[in-house]
Amino acid sequence: MARNDDDRVGVIRESVHSIRDAKNIFENLARAESGAQSAVAGVRPNRFKYFTAFGLFTPFLIVHLKHTMLRTFLARSSQPQRLVRSFVPSSQQGIRFISTSQSSGHPEGKECYIERLSGADEGIAIVNFNRPKAFNALSRKFVREFRDALQELRYDQKARVVIIRSLVDGAFCAGADLKERSTMNPTEVKQFLAGLRDGFRDLETLPIPTIAVIDGAALGGGLEMALCCDMRVGGGTKKAKIGLVETKLAIIPGAGGTQRLPRLIGIPKAKELIYSSKILDSAAAKEMGILNHAVEEESGFNKALEIAREILPMGPLAVRMAKSAIDKGTQFEIDSGLEYEQACYAQIMPSEDRLEGLAAFREKRKPAYKGK
């Protein structure tokens, strides 16, 4: 009990110090504000013109200082060693302090977030879906966080491959959040679908390779999202459920499914799947050409990671230009496509990576590409 009392006294002392710190901060701010105003008021008339701007700016400067110093105080007082601690009995140590810090690997409250691998896998970024209560259904919040993650990756020069996966057992993405959708008026539905299409286009136009891991249900909008990736891997042949099921609800795919699926597997097969709302397992989806790989394991993540590791050592600029040449060049007739390919090739010619590749080949060593 004596040990507990001593620790409680220590906590109280720290709290008193924090209060004193706050008191000193605001007393200093008050003196600074008074001094600044006096300085402006005491300027001689013939020099006042030089201080007019400063006088007008003073209130904003003081507010900024208040906010800055307050943030500093709060940051200092929020450190674990300055927080009130929880006392938990321990048979070995007597008192054990509980950490109040959160793990950076799984941000609390986030439904979609980025995880970056390190070491030999540095350059591989994973976009994790984690909305278990709704099987990663596409709500406003989910789509907003998804688009934020894509924007971050678009301008991340260290990211070379992106893997998209779900942390929710049995679901990749169950499509639209129908409960939320039922509360929207027609205008809000149109706005949401426009944002969803833009988000999927953001994914499709990422300049680096993308791989979707489909270990569960990828239905409706979930499959439409996966179709925006460069490659798709399915895990657990009977566990995955893949399909565009909108006609069952008397609507049609509204986020690109009627355009991307026919381009991927051909018009007749896409019509069959969309007209009938047929749901496929991994094996059938691979046979149709929707999946690149269907594995027997519960998850296709290891296969996706294997593919990412095969891409990682390649020249990053070359991979980016190859993706652009394929995605855009194939939308033209052959002669225009070849011209676009040549334009992409021309962008690589002056790169440091190209010279490094030639030098490494000549010296019989592994190249060290820098993406320059």
Side-chain angles (χ1 to χ4, degrees):
M1 290 298 295
R3 178 72 176 274
N4 287 355
D5 291 340
D6 290 342
D7 286 324
R8 289 192 179 93
V9 170
V11 171
I12 292 170
R13 285 176 177 169
E14 289 180 0
S15 300
V16 170
H17 289 318
S18 297
I19 293 170
R20 287 176 179 171
D21 289 345
K23 182 173 178 294
N24 291 335
I25 285 172
F26 287 105
E27 286 178 351
N28 290 336
L29 283 171
R31 285 195 292 270
E33 183 173 4
S34 176
Q37 291 172 349
S38 298
V40 175
V43 174
R44 289 165 55 184
N46 61 341
R47 295 183 182 178
F48 185 79
K49 60 182 180 180
Y50 299 108
F51 287 85
T52 301
F54 174 75
L56 293 173
F57 180 69
T58 298
F60 300 100
L61 176 62
I62 291 172
V63 169
H64 174 71
L65 286 171
K66 284 182 177 179
H67 288 173
T68 302
M69 296 179 75
L70 182 58
R71 283 198 300 268
T72 302
F73 165 71
L74 291 175
R76 286 173 54 194
S77 62
S78 65
Q79 294 299 316
Q81 66 270 20
R82 300 297 296 273
L83 292 173
V84 176
R85 302 177 179 119
S86 298
F87 298 92
V88 180
S90 173
S91 58
Q92 296 179 348
Q93 300 177 353
I95 296 295
R96 177 166 53 89
F97 297 117
I98 297 177
S99 173
T100 57
S101 62
Q102 299 175 7
S103 170
S104 60
H106 190 172
E108 185 178 353
K110 281 280 191 178
E111 297 178 354
C112 179
Y113 63 92
I114 301 171
E115 175 185 352
R116 290 178 172 81
L117 302 187
S118 58
D121 291 327
E122 184 176 358
I124 300 176
I126 303 171
V127 177
N128 291 309
F129 296 162
N130 189 39
R131 195 187 177 207
K133 292 183 179 179
F135 297 101
N136 298 327
L138 298 167
S139 65
R140 288 185 175 105
K141 181 177 186 292
F142 185 97
V143 172
R144 182 172 61 253
E145 291 180 1
F146 177 65
R147 296 194 68 182
D148 288 344
L150 294 179
Q151 278 297 98
E152 184 176 336
L153 290 170
R154 182 176 294 277
Y155 300 104
D156 184 352
Q157 295 302 313
K158 294 183 179 180
R160 297 190 180 183
V161 187
V162 175
I163 298 175
I164 297 179
R165 69 168 177 180
S166 168
L167 300 180
V168 179
D169 187 44
F172 172 73
C173 175
D177 187 335
L178 297 180
K179 288 185 179 180
E180 184 180 78
R181 182 75 62 86
S182 66
T183 66
M184 298 180 186
N185 60 44
T187 300
E188 290 173 328
V189 171
K190 291 179 181 178
Q191 291 173 340
F192 176 79
L193 287 176
L196 189 62
R197 292 189 197 101
D198 290 343
F200 287 177
R201 189 69 178 139
D202 291 341
L203 172 60
E204 190 172 34
T205 58
L206 270 184
I208 54 180
T210 53
I211 308 169
V213 179
I214 303 176
D215 291 336
L219 302 172
L223 178 55
E224 288 178 300
M225 179 193 295
L227 291 174
C228 296
C229 292
D230 296 314
M231 292 155 278
R232 288 153 294 279
V233 178
T237 53
K238 299 300 180 183
K239 191 176 180 181
K241 294 179 175 60
I242 298 169
L244 297 176
V245 297
E246 284 83 356
T247 55
K248 188 179 293 185
L249 299 173
I251 56 176
I252 69 170
T258 64
Q259 302 305 305
R260 294 187 178 97
L261 188 61
R263 285 170 166 79
L264 180 65
I265 66 174
I267 293 175
K269 290 181 180 179
K271 285 181 174 179
E272 178 185 349
L273 294 180
I274 294 173
Y275 293 170
S276 65
S277 290
K278 185 177 290 186
I279 297 175
L280 308 174
D281 61 20
S282 290
K286 181 180 183 300
E287 185 178 350
M288 277 276 193
I290 297 174
L291 299 181
N292 294 66
H293 303 276
V295 300
E296 295 291 336
E297 292 85 355
E298 284 294 305
S299 175
F301 177 72
N302 286 336
K303 182 63 181 179
L305 192 58
E306 177 187 327
I307 297 171
R309 285 169 174 164
E310 291 173 349
I311 297 171
L312 202 56
M314 305 299 115
L317 291 180
V319 172
R320 286 172 176 247
M321 287 298 100
K323 177 169 180 173
S324 181
I326 296 169
D327 287 352
K328 296 179 181 178
T330 53
Q331 304 302 314
F332 308 136
E333 43 82 25
I334 186 64
D335 289 327
S336 298
L338 290 171
E339 290 179 5
Y340 187 77
E341 178 188 74
Q342 184 59 34
C344 292
Y345 194 101
Q347 294 188 54
I348 302 172
M349 287 296 291
S351 70
E352 295 178 15
D353 281 356
R354 185 182 74 87
L355 298 178
E356 167 62 15
L358 292 173
F361 178 78
R362 184 174 60 253
E363 297 166 11
K364 298 181 180 180
R365 59 174 175 83
K366 289 184 179 180
Y369 296 124
K370 299 178 180 179
K372 296 181 180 180

